[in-house]
Short mmCIF file of all heavy atoms in Angstrom, two decimals:
data_model
loop_
_atom_site.label_atom_id
_atom_site.label_comp_id
_atom_site.label_asym_id
_atom_site.label_seq_id
_atom_site.Cartn_x
_atom_site.Cartn_y
_atom_site.Cartn_z
N ASN A 150 37.06 41.70 -19.47
CA ASN A 150 37.91 42.87 -19.38
C ASN A 150 39.41 42.63 -19.56
O ASN A 150 40.16 43.59 -19.78
CB ASN A 150 37.71 43.57 -18.03
CG ASN A 150 36.29 44.05 -17.83
OD1 ASN A 150 35.88 45.08 -18.35
ND2 ASN A 150 35.52 43.29 -17.05
N LEU A 151 39.85 41.38 -19.44
CA LEU A 151 41.30 41.13 -19.47
C LEU A 151 41.65 40.08 -20.53
O LEU A 151 42.07 38.95 -20.21
CB LEU A 151 41.77 40.67 -18.08
CG LEU A 151 41.52 41.64 -16.93
CD1 LEU A 151 41.95 41.02 -15.60
CD2 LEU A 151 42.26 42.96 -17.15
N PRO A 152 41.53 40.43 -21.80
CA PRO A 152 41.78 39.46 -22.87
C PRO A 152 43.23 39.03 -22.99
O PRO A 152 43.52 38.00 -23.61
CB PRO A 152 41.34 40.23 -24.12
CG PRO A 152 41.51 41.67 -23.78
CD PRO A 152 41.15 41.76 -22.32
N ASP A 153 44.14 39.79 -22.39
CA ASP A 153 45.57 39.48 -22.53
C ASP A 153 46.08 38.53 -21.45
O ASP A 153 47.27 38.15 -21.47
CB ASP A 153 46.40 40.77 -22.48
CG ASP A 153 46.14 41.65 -23.69
OD1 ASP A 153 45.77 41.12 -24.74
OD2 ASP A 153 46.27 42.89 -23.55
N VAL A 154 45.22 38.13 -20.51
CA VAL A 154 45.64 37.15 -19.50
C VAL A 154 46.09 35.88 -20.22
O VAL A 154 45.42 35.38 -21.13
CB VAL A 154 44.48 36.84 -18.53
CG1 VAL A 154 44.75 35.56 -17.75
CG2 VAL A 154 44.30 38.00 -17.56
N GLY A 155 47.24 35.35 -19.79
CA GLY A 155 47.78 34.17 -20.47
C GLY A 155 46.89 32.96 -20.33
O GLY A 155 46.58 32.27 -21.31
N GLU A 156 46.46 32.70 -19.09
CA GLU A 156 45.56 31.57 -18.82
C GLU A 156 44.74 31.85 -17.56
O GLU A 156 45.28 32.35 -16.58
CB GLU A 156 46.36 30.29 -18.61
CG GLU A 156 45.50 29.06 -18.37
CD GLU A 156 46.31 27.79 -18.11
OE1 GLU A 156 47.56 27.87 -18.12
OE2 GLU A 156 45.70 26.74 -17.85
N MET A 157 43.47 31.56 -17.64
CA MET A 157 42.61 31.65 -16.46
C MET A 157 42.33 30.24 -15.98
O MET A 157 41.85 29.39 -16.73
CB MET A 157 41.29 32.35 -16.81
CG MET A 157 40.34 32.48 -15.62
SD MET A 157 38.83 33.36 -16.06
CE MET A 157 38.08 32.22 -17.22
N LYS A 158 42.65 29.98 -14.71
CA LYS A 158 42.43 28.66 -14.14
C LYS A 158 41.27 28.73 -13.12
O LYS A 158 41.39 29.38 -12.08
CB LYS A 158 43.69 28.16 -13.43
CG LYS A 158 44.76 27.64 -14.37
CD LYS A 158 45.84 26.87 -13.60
CE LYS A 158 46.83 26.23 -14.54
NZ LYS A 158 47.86 25.44 -13.80
N PRO A 159 40.15 28.06 -13.42
CA PRO A 159 39.02 28.07 -12.50
C PRO A 159 39.14 26.96 -11.46
O PRO A 159 39.54 25.84 -11.77
CB PRO A 159 37.83 27.83 -13.43
CG PRO A 159 38.38 27.07 -14.58
CD PRO A 159 39.81 27.44 -14.72
N TYR A 160 38.77 27.29 -10.21
CA TYR A 160 38.79 26.32 -9.12
C TYR A 160 37.42 26.33 -8.43
O TYR A 160 36.71 27.33 -8.45
CB TYR A 160 39.88 26.67 -8.10
CG TYR A 160 41.29 26.48 -8.63
CD1 TYR A 160 41.93 27.51 -9.33
CD2 TYR A 160 41.97 25.28 -8.44
CE1 TYR A 160 43.21 27.35 -9.81
CE2 TYR A 160 43.26 25.12 -8.93
CZ TYR A 160 43.88 26.15 -9.62
OH TYR A 160 45.15 25.98 -10.11
N GLY A 161 37.07 25.20 -7.81
CA GLY A 161 35.75 25.05 -7.22
C GLY A 161 35.42 25.98 -6.07
O GLY A 161 34.30 26.41 -5.91
#
Side-chain angles (χ1 to χ4, degrees):
N150 299 281
L151 301 176
D153 294 332
V154 164
E156 182 183 359
M157 180 178 66
K158 283 193 174 182
Y160 292 86

